[in-house]
Amino acid sequence: MADRSFLDWPFFEERHRDWADRLDAWCAKNLPVDHSDVDAACRDLVARLGEAGFLKPTAVDTANPGPLDVRTLCLTRETLARHDGLADFAFAMQGLGTGAISLFGTPEQQQWLDRTRAGKALSAFALSEPRSGSDVANMDMAATRDGSDYVLSGEKTWISNGGIADLYTVFARTGEAPGARGISAFLIPADTPGLEVAERLDVIAPHPLARLAFNDVRVPASAMIGKPGDGFKIAMSVLDVFRSTVGAAALGFARRALDETLDRAGSRELFGAPLFDLQMVQGHIAEMALDIDAAALLIYRAAWTKDMGAPRVTREAAMAKLFATDRAQEVIDKAVQIHGGDGVRRGHIVESLYREIRALRIYEGASDVQKVVIARQTVK
Ligand SMILES: Cc1cc2nc3c(=O)[nH]c(=O)nc-3n(C[C@H](O)[C@H](O)[C@H](O)COP(=O)(O)OP(=O)(O)OC[C@H]3O[C@@H](n4cnc5c(N)ncnc54)[C@H](O)[C@@H]3O)c2cc1C
């Protein structure tokens, strides 16, 4: 049973504790799911999470608009990741894919949110390109004005939910200024002519992922989210909300690794006593517990600060993401070690955690990029 004492920390309100309890009970009944067909599994997870009401925090409620609750987003990702990485992924993409619409969308664009929050439409966030991953401002994809339309041409890659999403938030160069100030954001329905899946991408912890081709994709100017040239700012505002939630997913993986380790160390007999009696194993367990608590403090500090109305939490979110993902990698590695041969056996839970955690140190800003962000914010 995962440690739940952190829910008593002053970052949370009663509604957060209640949400975490209800979600955990739902997860215990419904997860993990079969991962053999990730497309089908993700569609099914989104439908079932939506039906149970657990996708509501991913986007603004158009009937009762208010800010996104980052603590609920983090608690949800942490809980889902502890039970099933694919469930966390399915939840996270509903938020990341619609974040720009929640924060900057027009009332017409926000009509999509009722569907994504109910699990009736899947969303994706298309920022990265083959030539510009970390160097986002250097993107090539162009959106050219043509009368009352924009025509998008170029490629996006590493797009989570690519191929199964119903709508894409797409960033493209509109050229108001060089670099970051010449990019705009667009809402593009998946069935828009010219938008094609160029390649499906297979990674160590499989989930729906694709390279997308935009072959003269024509959309009305009303598809633009926010103002011309504001795309980079919009992308960074969305990441400001969701970056600490990546740390929360890592925290969920790490908590699961510690739970599995405690079970193993208590039940496995070596040299006539439980594995736990070996002091070096106790040392590993102490470090795992310490990393987990420290990561949780940074994550919920960032989430609480944002929820209290801070316009930006760039430093707090970068620290939370960097520390939680890097330390979760260490925690899981220790879990693999303590499980011995079983730890690397395909299909074992700690083997899958070992694969699941790796990409979190790369996407939404690699660990090295977070260090640059923290250093710049610290110098300020
Ligand atoms: C599983 C997965 C899912 C993804 N989902 C999405 C998605 O849904 N939407 C989307 O738009 N993108 C997505 N991405 C893309 C992801 O954001 C990029 O992979 C990431 O930004 C890194 O870009 P890159 O792969 O081009 O690596 P590069 O930009 O080539 O960087 C390679 C490495 O260089 C180092 N580096 C880069 N910049 C710096 C720096 N300033 N200082 C020091 N070192 C640096 C880092 O170690 C980095 O990992 C996903 C990626 C993965 C792996």
Side-chain angles (χ1 to χ4, degrees):
M1 181 64 184
D3 176 19
R4 316 265 294 154
S5 58
F6 73 100
L7 288 167
D8 295 327
W9 290 351
F11 297 122
F12 301 109
E13 297 164 27
E14 202 46 46
R15 65 193 170 90
H16 295 113
R17 289 184 265 276
D18 176 58
W19 176 268
D21 285 346
R22 283 192 294 114
L23 178 61
D24 202 37
W26 185 89
C27 291
K29 274 203 199 114
N30 292 278
L31 302 178
V33 299
D34 177 10
H35 288 203
S36 52
D37 177 345
V38 287
D39 289 7
C42 282
R43 285 197 190 96
D44 180 52
L45 280 164
V46 166
R48 286 196 294 135
L49 282 165
E51 204 176 315
F54 290 120
L55 295 179
K56 287 186 179 164
T58 58
V60 161
D61 178 359
T62 51
N64 186 19
L68 297 171
D69 189 90
V70 187
R71 286 167 295 173
T72 304
L73 288 170
C74 287
L75 275 174
T76 309
R77 290 201 66 178
E78 174 182 340
T79 307
L80 292 171
R82 186 156 48 75
H83 287 273
D84 184 350
L86 207 54
D88 163 59
F89 167 83
F91 172 86
M93 287 318 301
Q94 292 302 95
L96 187 64
T98 57
I101 305 169
S102 278
L103 299 179
F104 301 97
T106 60
E108 288 76 45
Q109 291 168 344
Q110 289 193 341
Q111 282 175 13
W112 275 99
L113 303 181
D114 298 338
R115 295 180 58 199
T116 59
R117 290 173 81 243
K120 295 188 188 311
L122 278 76
S123 69
F125 179 81
L127 181 65
S128 304
E129 296 184 5
R131 219 176 54 81
S132 64
S134 307
D135 189 7
V136 176
N138 200 19
M139 71 172 58
D140 292 314
M141 184 144 127
T144 312
R145 186 81 196 224
D146 182 22
S148 58
D149 297 338
Y150 279 95
V151 179
L152 282 77
S153 53
E155 273 196 348
K156 293 287 172 187
T157 194
W158 302 115
I159 306 310
S160 297
N161 271 354
I164 65 165
D166 298 289
L167 73 147
Y168 292 88
T169 297
V170 180
F171 297 85
R173 182 163 300 289
T174 37
E176 290 72 19
R181 285 177 295 117
I183 292 168
S184 301
F186 296 88
L187 191 172
I188 310 221
D191 57 4
T192 310
L195 169 50
E196 280 155 27
V197 174
E199 184 186 8
R200 290 299 299 261
L201 307 172
D202 194 13
V203 288
I204 55 173
H207 66 257
L209 199 63
R211 179 165 60 88
L212 303 173
F214 290 74
N215 300 313
D216 293 336
V217 172
R218 182 175 287 274
V219 289
S222 60
M224 187 180 281
I225 305 170
K227 296 201 204 78
D230 275 358
F232 185 82
K233 235 168 47 190
I234 290 173
M236 294 307 123
S237 302
V238 171
L239 293 177
D240 213 51
V241 172
F242 287 97
R243 192 162 271 152
S244 36
T245 79
V246 181
L251 178 61
F253 292 144
R255 280 198 203 281
R256 180 63 182 267
L258 178 57
D259 286 353
E260 297 295 329
T261 302
L262 292 175
D263 281 352
R264 179 74 171 202
S267 60
R268 172 91 168 148
E269 292 249 333
L270 277 188
F271 310 109
L275 191 53
F276 183 81
D277 284 5
L278 298 174
Q279 283 196 340
M280 224 178 301
V281 171
Q282 292 175 13
H284 285 319
I285 288 173
E287 285 167 3
M288 292 163 87
L290 180 61
D291 278 340
I292 285 172
D293 270 13
L297 282 164
L298 282 173
I299 290 160
Y300 291 111
R301 189 258 309 241
W304 177 85
T305 307
K306 185 77 183 165
D307 288 346
M308 290 305 109
R312 297 298 292 255
V313 285
T314 309
R315 186 174 75 102
E316 292 87 345
M319 284 183 170
K321 196 225 172 212
L322 171 67
F323 188 85
T325 56
D326 278 7
R327 299 321 297 170
Q329 183 90 56
E330 290 289 325
V331 168
I332 293 166
D333 190 60
K334 288 188 173 96
V336 168
Q337 193 70 18
I338 290 170
H339 276 78
D342 278 341
V344 289
R345 193 166 172 190
R346 201 176 296 282
H348 194 286
I349 178 70
V350 295
E351 178 270 341
S352 68
L353 292 169
Y354 191 75
R355 288 184 289 103
E356 291 272 9
I357 188 60
R358 192 62 186 87
L360 278 64
R361 296 171 59 212
I362 296 172
Y363 65 61
E364 290 189 41
S367 292
D368 321 63
V369 174
Q370 303 309 328
K371 286 183 191 165
V372 174
V373 170
I374 294 166
R376 285 192 186 140
Q377 293 284 322
T378 305
V379 165
K380 258 190 193 171

